[in-house]
Structure formats: structure tokens, C-alpha cells
Amino acid sequence: MTQASRGRTPADDDRGGAADGGGGVSPRDTEAAERLLTEGALTVEGRLVQASNATLYCSVERAGVRAACVYKPVAGERPLWDFPDGTLAEREVAAYEVSQAMGWHTVPPTVHRDGPYGVGMVQLWVEPDPDTDTVALSRSDADPIRRMAVFDAVVNNADRKIGHLLPPGDGHVYGCDHGVCFSVDYKLRTVLWQWRGKPLTAEALDALGRVETSLRSGRLGDRLGALLTTDEVDATRRRVELMLKHRIHPYPPEDWPAVPWPPL
């Protein structure tokens, strides 16, 4: 379940401007968005009814600034056989940290904080453009989609569905639902395989270089160390090093389904 497929709730009829692309703060203004998400008063407005884990549609307000967001409490996470219990929220935040290190704003501002139902992940709402054909977008060679494919390879995303793409209509594309990332095992499962085995762009190599540097001696290494296990951080570093060494997009895994089901 994604932001794009939120079920209608009573809050839709009286939510002011909170849901319109984040309301009073831009996803690109990450410092202001993180402050709002971390310090603002969080109010539950509804629930994304088709989500497999508890996913709550909320408003957050601080100093007169109000925006919409998604809140996923750890208490609402269902156990998974291949990921440790109670870790999905931290993985979502870790994915945002990688996005920031790459410099591509692939993931909307995301924080880990306490909320009405306990600690969890809180992410700024991005309203997708209803006129954008996300199926066609996922099959295209558009630069934002190619960046998403590189990002997914770094975080080892095991569930990149078409519905996890959020195009706000300004040419950018955000991604959401990154709870099943950062496995030590190679689990890349995505609808974005159109560049498999093809050379990485100079832009991608620059972004990967920034991630490698920040993992070794910068903020990213510290942040991932606080959110993931040591083995998971080491595996992330190795994925980046392999991509820089071979300079190509990765191939699908041979012992793991390459495309999530359902792909939407």
C-alpha cells in the first residue's frame, strides 16, 4: 500500500490544505520538513485501509505550519520471515538518509519519532499527479526513474512496485514504502529492470561516490549505524563498492523473484 492508493476517509472532507503535496512545507526543503515532522503535533486523520502494516494518514503542525504526513508505528508492523521484527520504520528512515547522501531527493523527508501509537516512521505526504500514467512512467527511460533504479540497488529494495512511485507532476519522482530494504542477502525486487547490465551514468557514479565517502567518514555511516545492524551497513557499503567497480546497473538475482507481486 502506498501514499498514492490511500483509501478515502472522513478526514478527506475537512482537512484544509494539509494533504496538498505536503501543505505548508516543500519536500525539497528537507531541514524545515524534518523539523516539522520531528517536533510538530501529530494528529491521526485516517488510515490507509489496504496497507499490510498499520499506515496512518496524519496532519502535523508546528508554529503555524501544517502539512500532511504518513505515520507507521512500530506496534503496527506485521512480522516478516526475512526481516527482524520491529525494524521496518528504521529501515524507512535509513532509506531517506541514503537518498539525502545521494543528493537526489528520491525519498520524501522521513523521521523516526514517538507518536499517538508509539514510536514509528513519519514521512511527509507527497500528492501524486492524477494525470500521470505511472505504469508508462515505470517502463520509461526517464532520468528520475533511472535514478530510482540506482537508489533501489544501493538500499537493496525488495519491493519496488509501480504504486510506490510518486510523481507530483513537476518532473520529479519520489519513492515510498522502503521498509523491506537493507537485507544482507541480495533481494533486489523491482519493476525497474530496463537498465540491467547497462553502464551507469556519470551522474550515478558521482552519487555513488558521495554515498561511499559519507558511509566511510561522514554522516551516513553514523546514521545507518544507528538504524541498521553492523552487517547491514557493511553490506550496503559492499553494494556501493561493487557498483563503482563494475560501473553497471545490477542484474536480477538468480535465486529470488525479480519482480514484486502484484507489480502495482
Side-chain angles (χ1 to χ4, degrees):
M1 182 63 186
T2 70
Q3 292 186 16
S5 51
R6 175 176 58 89
R8 187 171 180 81
T9 72
D12 289 324
D13 298 320
D14 187 24
R15 68 187 186 200
D20 297 331
V25 63
S26 167
R28 295 297 189 97
D29 189 351
T30 55
E31 182 177 350
E34 288 178 24
R35 186 181 304 113
L36 174 63
L37 294 172
T38 302
E39 302 175 5
L42 199 61
T43 302
V44 176
E45 305 283 357
R47 180 173 180 174
L48 281 70
V49 294
Q50 297 178 19
S52 56
N53 298 302
T55 304
L56 305 176
Y57 174 76
C58 301
S59 62
V60 60
E61 186 168 2
R62 177 186 179 275
V65 178
R66 183 170 182 259
C69 60
V70 173
Y71 164 47
K72 297 182 181 180
V74 172
E77 295 179 6
R78 293 185 179 182
L80 298 173
W81 68 269
D82 54 346
F83 285 88
D85 293 350
T87 66
L88 304 190
E90 291 174 314
R91 294 173 193 279
E92 296 247 24
V93 180
Y96 170 65
E97 294 290 347
V98 171
S99 167
Q100 288 297 98
M102 296 184 85
W104 285 346
H105 299 282
T106 305
V107 181
T110 310
V111 303
H112 194 266
R113 60 164 288 182
D114 199 5
Y117 298 102
V119 296
M121 177 279 275
V122 179
Q123 183 175 90
L124 193 69
W125 180 274
V126 171
E127 188 72 23
D129 176 20
D131 295 325
T132 298
D133 183 342
T134 53
V135 174
L137 180 64
S138 72
R139 296 173 177 172
S140 74
D141 61 355
D143 289 341
I145 298 299
R146 189 165 193 173
R147 294 184 193 111
M148 188 76 68
V150 176
F151 164 80
D152 284 341
V154 172
V155 302
N156 198 17
N157 192 349
D159 193 35
R160 173 62 71 201
K161 294 183 172 73
I162 293 171
H164 297 168
L165 302 174
L166 304 174
D170 60 357
H172 192 69
V173 179
Y174 294 95
C176 65
D177 286 5
H178 300 112
V180 288
C181 293
F182 298 103
S183 174
V184 172
D185 300 321
Y186 184 45
K187 290 182 179 289
L188 185 57
R189 185 167 57 178
T190 174
V191 294
L192 309 178
W193 286 116
Q194 52 265 54
W195 296 283
R196 61 190 181 278
K198 294 185 177 180
L200 292 163
T201 63
E203 177 190 48
L205 293 170
D206 286 345
L208 291 169
R210 288 192 292 271
V211 170
E212 182 183 39
T213 299
S214 192
L215 273 171
R216 291 191 177 278
S217 58
R219 169 186 167 89
L220 186 59
D222 293 338
R223 290 295 294 134
L224 293 194
L227 295 163
L228 306 171
T229 68
T230 299
D231 287 345
E232 289 166 344
V233 177
D234 289 343
T236 302
R237 184 180 297 111
R238 287 196 299 272
R239 288 192 297 272
V240 173
E241 290 172 348
L242 281 172
M243 293 175 74
L244 284 170
K245 177 181 178 180
H246 297 290
R247 305 171 73 90
I248 62 171
H249 287 262
Y251 287 94
E254 296 180 353
D255 57 351
W256 180 254
V259 178
W261 187 262
L264 294 174

